[in-house]
Amino acid sequence: MNNYSSVRPRVAIVSYPWVSKGPYKFLSDLLQILEPITDRVMLIDGNTERIEKSSEKVELRDIATSMHAANDIQPAFYSKLLWLTKCIKAQLRASIELVRIRKEVNVVLFYIAYPWYLAPLLTAKLLGKKTVEVVTRSHSAAEKGVTSWILRLQERIMFSLLDGISPESKGVLNGLDLKKHEHKILTEGSRFVDTSRFRVTTKFQDRDLVVGYVGRLAKEKGIAELVDAIPLIAKRKQMSFLIGGNGACFAEVKKACERMSAEEAVSVTVPGWIAEEELPSFLNALRLLVLPTHHPEGLPTIVLEAMACGTPVLATPVGAIPDVITNEVTGFLLESTAPERIAQRITMILNYTELEKVADNAEGLIRQKFTRTAATERYDKMLREVLLDLRRPTV
């Protein structure tokens, strides 16, 4: 068997030129994780000006393709056709870059690239490179239709071709059909939280009675149900709500909240997109963060960042959320996203006598498992496993 020291990782990261800025923060974090444990890191993506390079060891290779939201351009048919064209172009250009750097890398890591990485995966396999996907998604049992069937079929092909599958956290595997690929499961590829920024700056007992949400304002995130729940719990004195983020439902959410403020004297603030540098202060202002998502999540970063700030989280048990939230220990789980149930759970939590202890437990978990050092150790082990064919026998 090869000695790991003689097969040092030289990694190409293949991602996707997303329209949103969030993925580029994750990619910047990933570069920081990989830099000390690799001989070389090459990131293939569009919008690389959004990336923060960690060192000269890192090279950014821009594919000169940037996506747009599928309905941003009128007419809608043209917008979707252009979007599909860009998807194909992004895959082809990423494949060409892999050919160009074929002598400089030995591992190709697909990160936040699903489902648009089939062509680069085939290229990497033909070039004889080790291939790994860091899985940052799960699947909902409610998914149906032809599009879902096509994506599932493509996913099965990808899993068959990959040399390794690294779940962001083990919970994301529950919704994926991976029994045939148990031997490919690698160490978890979860990232880290910058606890020098995301930390407690306002003691829990000093916080006002504020409930908040941070994330995309989209139907699948449960934002409509949360807004409908607000009037049911807003009768508590001195209670207010903060809803931060942007997305397809922003105008609808803002209008509904303005109406509540005017007609029912409910204090709801909708500031829109929250800048990265302002997010720790925002989270430190909350007594509770609510994430009533029914989206096939992986491990939502906002959950980890809130916990690092000593802010309890109420979230639905989808994807890897139950990996970090143990009910009434490190947070709270929401079994139903019906507005009435959301209202009941929020009211119960705000009256919970051990709420501050839950906040302390959540912060402690982040400082134990989600530091940069812990993330680097995880990725080092993952790369060792795939390069030396050291696989886990079971999930």
Side-chain angles (χ1 to χ4, degrees):
M1 182 175 290
N2 290 327
N3 185 286
Y4 186 64
S5 61
S6 66
V7 195
R8 287 280 293 167
R10 301 187 307 278
V11 180
I13 304 169
V14 175
S15 190
Y16 181 73
W18 300 102
V19 62
S20 58
K21 295 181 179 180
Y24 295 91
K25 174 185 181 295
F26 307 155
L27 285 164
S28 297
D29 287 351
L30 181 57
L31 293 178
Q32 292 184 49
I33 294 169
L34 292 176
E35 188 273 333
I37 58 174
T38 58
D39 282 345
R40 190 175 186 87
V41 184
M42 309 183 84
L43 173 63
I44 301 172
D45 198 354
N47 303 312
T48 55
E49 71 280 357
R50 300 177 183 176
I51 298 291
E52 295 181 16
K53 284 182 59 173
S54 53
S55 79
E56 291 305 313
K57 187 187 291 187
V58 174
E59 181 179 343
L60 306 180
R61 302 186 71 92
D62 200 297
I63 59 173
T65 302
S66 181
M67 301 306 297
H68 63 279
N71 292 313
D72 272 359
I73 300 173
Q74 296 298 327
F77 172 78
Y78 172 76
S79 181
K80 291 178 180 178
L81 181 62
L82 178 61
W83 188 83
L84 182 59
T85 301
K86 287 181 178 181
C87 289
I88 296 170
K89 181 163 60 171
Q91 290 197 60
L92 293 177
R93 289 187 171 179
S95 299
I96 292 170
E97 289 300 323
L98 285 175
V99 173
R100 286 174 175 165
I101 62 173
R102 63 189 180 279
K103 295 181 180 180
E104 302 177 60
V105 300
N106 53 16
V107 178
V108 179
L109 195 68
F110 298 97
Y111 186 76
I112 322 182
Y114 176 83
W116 313 110
Y117 72 90
L118 182 57
L121 173 58
L122 289 168
T123 302
K125 296 298 292 184
L126 289 171
L127 294 172
K129 307 304 177 185
K130 295 289 187 177
T131 56
V132 179
E133 184 194 352
V134 178
V135 180
T136 60
R137 65 189 184 283
S138 60
H139 281 292
S140 167
E143 287 183 339
K144 297 178 181 178
V146 175
T147 300
S148 178
W149 181 85
I150 292 172
L151 291 177
R152 292 292 184 98
L153 175 61
Q154 178 176 285
E155 185 174 63
R156 287 196 290 271
I157 294 170
M158 290 170 169
F159 284 151
S160 296
L161 292 172
L162 287 163
D163 293 297
I165 300 165
S166 172
E168 185 176 30
S169 188
K170 62 183 180 180
V172 304
L173 299 177
N174 295 333
L176 301 171
D177 184 14
L178 287 170
K179 290 194 182 229
K180 293 190 295 185
H181 306 295
E182 289 180 341
H183 63 290
K184 295 184 179 183
I185 304 302
L186 306 174
T187 295
E188 296 172 15
S190 51
R191 296 177 299 103
F192 66 90
V193 177
D194 184 355
T195 52
S196 67
R197 297 180 56 246
F198 291 92
R199 58 189 177 86
V200 177
T201 55
T202 302
K203 293 181 180 180
F204 190 77
Q205 62 268 30
D206 294 336
R207 301 183 187 187
D208 294 332
L209 200 58
V210 182
V211 175
Y213 169 94
V214 181
R216 280 190 302 114
L217 301 185
K219 290 182 179 179
E220 63 269 20
K221 289 289 190 174
I223 187 62
E225 292 91 335
L226 177 59
V227 170
D228 287 344
I230 289 175
L232 305 177
I233 52 179
K235 294 180 180 179
R236 293 175 60 95
K237 293 181 180 180
Q238 306 301 318
M239 186 173 184
S240 59
F241 301 84
L242 287 172
I243 298 177
N246 211 334
C249 295
F250 176 77
E252 179 183 343
V253 167
K254 189 169 181 62
K255 183 177 180 181
C257 291
E258 288 175 346
R259 178 186 54 76
M260 277 190 282
S261 297
E263 297 178 4
E264 303 180 44
V266 178
S267 177
V268 189
T269 303
V270 185
W273 177 258
I274 300 172
E276 177 69 18
E277 59 272 16
E278 297 174 1
L279 189 52
S281 296
F282 187 100
L283 293 172
N284 267 272
L286 304 180
R287 279 259 175 170
L288 181 68
L289 178 80
V290 184
L291 185 65
T293 179
H294 34 86
H295 182 65
E297 304 281 353
L299 183 57
T301 301
I302 191 61
V303 170
L304 302 180
E305 292 171 340
M307 293 170 70
C309 292
T311 302
V313 177
L314 169 64
T316 43
V318 299
I321 288 175
D323 289 346
V324 295
I325 294 183
T326 300
N327 197 44
E328 298 186 5
V329 178
T330 57
F332 301 88
L333 295 176
L334 178 66
E335 297 296 339
S336 169
T337 58
E340 296 80 7
R341 186 56 180 153
I342 295 174
Q344 290 170 4
R345 287 291 281 160
I346 291 175
T347 301
M348 183 279 292
I349 291 167
L350 294 177
N351 288 322
Y352 189 59
T353 57
E354 300 291 319
L355 187 55
E356 187 172 354
K357 183 178 179 181
V358 170
D360 290 340
N361 291 341
E363 182 194 3
L365 176 66
I366 299 303
R367 292 188 174 275
Q368 175 186 355
K369 186 175 180 181
F370 293 97
T371 63
R372 185 177 303 176
T373 298
T376 299
E377 290 173 354
R378 284 191 291 270
Y379 271 83
D380 187 43
K381 185 177 180 183
M382 177 217 299
L383 292 173
R384 183 188 302 268
E385 289 169 342
V386 74
L387 279 172
L388 301 183
D389 290 320
L390 303 174
R391 308 300 170 80
R392 294 179 179 178
T394 62
V395 177

